Amino acid sequence: MKNVISRFAKDESGATAIEYGLIAGLISITIIGVVTAVGTNLNSLFTTISSTLAGVGSAS
C-alpha cells in the first residue's frame, strides 16, 4: 500500500496535462481578443471606405 501511495505522489502526468490545458486556454483567449479587436477596426475601415465611395459616386 505504501508503494502505491508513493507512486501516486510522484506521478506528474496529470499535472502536465493540466498545464498544457491552461496554456491552450490562455492562447485561445488571446486569439479571441485579438480577432475581436481587429474585426472592430476592419469594420470601421470598411464603413469609412463605403461612405467615401458612396460620396464619390453621387458627385458624378
Side-chain angles (χ1 to χ4, degrees):
M1 184 67 165
K2 184 178 179 182
N3 189 20
V4 172
I5 294 172
S6 175
R7 277 190 297 154
F8 179 74
K10 291 180 183 179
D11 185 18
E12 295 183 6
S13 61
T16 303
I18 291 172
E19 290 170 354
Y20 284 134
L22 289 173
I23 291 169
L26 290 173
I27 290 171
S28 299
I29 290 170
T30 304
I31 289 172
I32 290 169
V34 168
V35 168
T36 301
V38 169
T40 303
N41 290 339
L42 280 177
N43 189 21
S44 297
L45 177 65
F46 284 128
T47 301
T48 303
I49 292 171
S50 175
S51 298
T52 303
L53 291 176
V56 169
S58 298
S60 294

